[in-house]
Amino acid sequence: MQRGPAQIAAKTGLPAGFERALRDWYRRNHRPMPWRSTRDPYRIWLSEVMLQQTQVITATPYYHRFLERFPTLPELARARPEAVLAAWAGLGYYRRARHLHEAARVVVREHSGVVPRDPEQFAQLPGVGRYTVGAVMSIAFGLSIPVLDGNVARVLSRIGALHISVREPAGARTLWALATEWMPKRDPSEWNQALMELGAMVCTPRAPRCGECPVRAQCAAFALGSPEDFPPVAVRAATRRVRRAIVVIEKGGALLMTRLSGELLDGLWEPPGIELAARQPVQLALARELERLGVHARIEPSRQTVRHRITNRDIEVELWRGTLELPVARRAVLRFVDPQAPRVAITALAKRVAASVAPRLR
Ligand code: SF4
């Protein structure tokens, strides 16, 4: 029987034998990861932030490089924002880096540079949500506080055959309540990591490996014979088609780029460009944008386009070639950037544009 939030009001109770089976499996099977061999809250915090929208295999080299650059929290706090973004460049979701940097500064200013082990104080820091509180407090300090990410939510909904989604407020409330109720006092770090690891390695979204699962005897979805029915599939936001035009101005292998502002890509660099409205005369709009930036250049279409996807946007980008008519005046938001060795963080689209014009740059 599938159960929604209303039917789960009563306590569900941790199934007998679940904790032991899960912990035994985790001790034998967990993947070694660099942040699993430390209790340093800064390193654990960094890893949790990086892993929020990024897979382990992608995040690992970034984790090492970031720590080489900023080995301690005070060193991160002292860094310039551009240096932090440059160390994050390529990982995406740059708001994570900005928040971590701001939070490091608050920790230095208000907590003498020591990550607070009080969950309420830690939760006040920029970018720290309920998941991060649970992860850092349990793994670094051994506090009995649950986590609920996509992996844990899936495991819980399948174990209880709960037809609820963590993406909906009522579902999230129910799953947090369950995660809290099941949270053991003993070794919360191992418990939280084991739940996450089970979701990542065995109880996967599609084709869960129930035959190898240590807790299949306690799993209601397995007993029903339909694990993939849990949790309900979220309706994806429709992909929006977007048209952009970008001007490529080259100098000695570098491309002219401008510093972006706005919610999503604030502080990243990209060649000057505009989003196109329907039937908008492209050349005129690009010329106006260059004028706004103080760039005097002749532009012509290159007949080259690149496709780029970012979250739910499918972007088609027309590339225009620009030839400078006057030298570019030095400005804080404008500079030539070598895309092979950028000293500032450039967008994924900037990298794609650079790759598509690379033969001309050689
Ligand atoms: Fe997930 Fe299958 Fe294990 Fe249930 S038995 S927790 S559905 S892997």
Side-chain angles (χ1 to χ4, degrees):
M1 184 186 71
Q2 295 182 357
R3 292 182 291 168
Q7 290 100 338
I8 307 159
K11 286 198 167 197
T12 314
L14 183 61
F18 181 94
E19 181 177 350
R20 182 162 185 181
L22 178 69
R23 287 187 190 270
D24 286 351
W25 170 83
Y26 179 73
R27 283 177 207 148
R28 283 197 305 272
N29 295 286
H30 70 266
R31 296 164 292 173
M33 294 177 194
W35 44 86
R36 283 188 169 152
S37 57
T38 179
R39 281 290 176 111
D40 178 346
Y42 165 59
R43 289 172 180 239
I44 291 164
W45 183 7
L46 172 66
S47 72
E48 291 299 337
V49 173
M50 284 189 166
L51 291 170
Q52 272 165 29
Q53 261 104 4
T54 310
Q55 294 194 330
V56 169
I57 192 161
T58 309
T60 302
Y62 283 90
Y63 172 83
H64 289 303
R65 278 201 296 272
F66 198 91
L67 285 173
E68 271 167 30
R69 187 83 181 72
F70 312 112
T72 64
L73 185 140
E75 280 165 285
L76 173 61
R78 275 197 298 276
R80 286 181 305 116
E82 306 83 69
V84 177
L85 282 178
W88 203 272
L91 259 187
Y93 298 95
Y94 293 91
R95 208 179 318 167
R96 297 179 296 177
R98 280 191 284 271
H99 279 153
L100 184 65
H101 187 212
E102 280 168 45
R105 289 182 162 181
V106 176
V107 170
V108 166
R109 213 168 45 237
E110 297 178 11
H111 303 280
S112 312
V114 177
V115 176
R117 57 181 303 151
D118 174 343
E120 285 182 20
Q121 287 184 350
F122 186 62
Q124 301 297 316
L125 298 171
V128 173
R130 193 169 176 183
Y131 166 81
T132 311
V133 171
V136 176
M137 294 293 112
S138 64
I139 298 171
F141 301 131
L143 301 187
S144 183
I145 301 177
V147 291
L148 187 72
D149 65 355
N151 285 327
V152 176
R154 186 169 57 255
V155 170
L156 296 185
S157 75
R158 286 176 176 170
I159 294 295
L162 311 176
H163 203 65
I164 52 177
S165 168
V166 72
R167 293 172 194 275
E168 288 162 8
R173 273 196 301 277
T174 303
L175 289 166
W176 272 112
L178 196 60
T180 306
E181 186 196 330
W182 287 9
M183 189 74 217
K185 291 273 176 286
R186 183 171 68 86
D187 201 345
S189 167
E190 182 183 72
W191 168 263
N192 278 343
Q193 292 188 79
L195 275 178
M196 290 191 272
E197 191 78 340
L198 186 75
M201 302 300 293
V202 177
C203 194
T204 47
R206 280 177 292 283
R209 294 154 59 191
C210 301
E212 302 166 29
C213 181
V215 292
R216 66 180 177 277
Q218 291 87 4
C219 180
F222 177 70
L224 287 171
S226 57
E228 285 189 68
D229 287 352
F230 304 90
V233 179
V235 180
R236 277 178 165 267
T239 302
R240 191 160 70 90
R241 297 287 297 267
V242 175
R243 282 178 62 230
R244 279 184 70 78
I246 270 184
V247 184
V248 178
I249 299 176
E250 304 162 20
K251 191 173 88 176
L255 299 183
L256 184 67
M257 297 198 195
T258 180
R259 188 181 188 278
L260 304 178
S261 56
E263 245 319 77
L264 205 56
L265 299 171
D266 192 35
L268 303 185
W269 292 73
E270 190 171 277
I274 46 160
E275 194 160 317
L276 297 172
R279 291 192 289 282
Q280 185 178 19
V282 182
Q283 186 156 8
L284 187 62
L286 277 178
R288 282 207 184 114
E289 175 62 7
L290 291 181
E291 192 181 316
R292 187 184 72 78
L293 293 168
V295 176
H296 301 275
R298 210 174 51 248
I299 57 173
E300 57 183 336
S302 74
R303 302 196 202 302
Q304 213 179 340
T305 57
V306 294
R307 291 298 279 269
H308 181 59
R309 278 197 81 127
I310 176 169
T311 51
N312 60 341
R313 299 197 310 159
D314 181 7
I315 310 172
E316 183 177 83
V317 187
E318 288 179 22
L319 301 188
W320 285 61
R321 223 183 334 257
T323 309
L324 286 178
E325 293 176 320
L326 287 174
V328 175
R330 197 172 168 76
R331 294 182 61 194
V333 294
L334 204 62
R335 64 170 68 163
F336 279 95
V337 178
D338 178 354
Q340 303 305 319
R343 301 176 68 164
V344 290
I346 65 176
T347 65
L349 174 58
K351 284 185 195 155
R352 191 154 292 188
V353 169
S356 73
V357 299
R360 279 196 279 132
L361 295 177
R362 278 191 215 118

